[in-house]
Amino acid sequence: MTGIIREVTIGDCRLILGDCLEVMPLLGKMDAVVTDPPYGIAREKLKSGKTGEWSKLYSEQITWDDFAPQNCVEMAMEKSGTVAIIWGGNYFTLPPMRGWLIWDKMQWHSSGHAELAWTSCDIPIRDFKYSRAQLASEKKQHPTQKPVALMEWCLGFLPDAETILDPFMGSGTTLVACAKLGRKGIGIELDPDYFE
């Protein structure tokens, strides 16, 4: 794959099919990055003998979560002047900050009861309660999909950011949140099925 394979514009959102490492150099500066990159944890779960959703992913030959793409996250941060919200930021080498966000999935008997987002925001830790059942009502399209309401909440911490970059678009909930809040969004997705 090289560069932009396909591009679609929906309202003020630009959706790009391609490898973010090849597409991001073609883009100008963004006001912020709000994204949920692969963390590289699926392979570890599979090695540990865990069953369930991750085992199913690998049985279907989905390998996009083989590693945490540090270089992609760094490039995205450069595009935004480091104004960012990075879900799974605890899996990346990022500057120390106090503005962590927590998605409390209201499921305390599971190792997947919460997720963390690193932010460049100078705010105390904040949490957002939204159950997995509520996410199911959104007709989940991607194994690591974030709720639209969660992404709208995230954008609320970046009031001056007009154009948001999501280099790991997945099911596109960041761009849906952008559209609902009147922001411009650019999403990049490598997988043609998720892009569709």
Side-chain angles (χ1 to χ4, degrees):
M1 284 189 198
T2 58
I4 297 172
I5 296 168
R6 183 167 172 230
E7 184 172 340
V8 176
T9 300
I10 302 172
D12 283 335
C13 292
R14 183 177 170 197
L15 291 69
I16 301 170
L17 175 63
D19 184 324
C20 66
L21 282 174
E22 296 172 2
V23 173
M24 283 192 289
L26 306 174
L27 304 175
K29 285 291 210 184
M30 304 292 136
D31 295 319
V33 171
V34 177
T35 194
D36 180 26
Y39 311 157
I41 61 172
R43 179 76 62 196
E44 294 306 312
K45 285 192 177 209
L46 194 63
K47 279 189 219 171
S48 71
K50 302 256 185 205
T51 58
E53 189 173 11
W54 291 113
S55 299
K56 183 174 182 255
L57 284 175
Y58 279 94
S59 70
E60 294 173 356
Q61 305 298 315
I62 297 172
T63 58
W64 49 260
D65 194 40
D66 276 351
F67 68 99
Q70 179 71 34
N71 54 345
C72 297
V73 169
E74 289 169 358
M75 186 181 290
M77 296 275 286
E78 288 172 13
K79 284 286 171 190
S80 70
T82 70
V83 176
I85 295 175
I86 310 289
W87 283 97
N90 48 309
Y91 294 100
F92 298 94
T93 303
L94 294 164
M97 292 297 286
R98 70 184 194 115
W100 288 85
L101 303 180
I102 301 169
W103 171 23
D104 176 355
K105 298 179 184 180
M106 302 164 59
Q107 181 177 329
W108 291 104
H109 299 290
S110 162
S111 61
H113 64 268
E115 291 186 40
L116 299 173
W118 177 95
T119 78
S120 60
C121 304
D122 187 20
I123 57 172
I125 292 173
R126 299 281 190 244
D127 71 325
F128 183 83
K129 293 183 184 328
Y130 197 88
S131 73
R132 295 183 93 176
Q134 288 171 288
L135 176 58
S137 72
E138 292 184 20
K139 296 184 171 113
K140 190 172 174 182
Q141 302 287 319
H142 190 282
T144 62
Q145 183 170 321
K146 298 297 180 276
V148 172
L150 175 69
M151 302 318 283
E152 288 181 90
W153 178 72
C154 289
L155 293 175
F157 293 105
L158 306 169
D160 298 327
E162 293 179 22
T163 303
I164 309 296
L165 172 64
D166 183 354
F168 304 96
M169 186 171 62
S171 62
T173 57
T174 301
L175 296 184
V176 172
C178 285
K180 289 179 88 174
L181 297 174
R183 312 268 187 106
K184 295 176 184 166
I186 297 176
I188 305 168
E189 178 53 43
L190 179 63
D191 185 295
D193 293 332
Y194 291 128
F195 180 82
E196 287 304 319

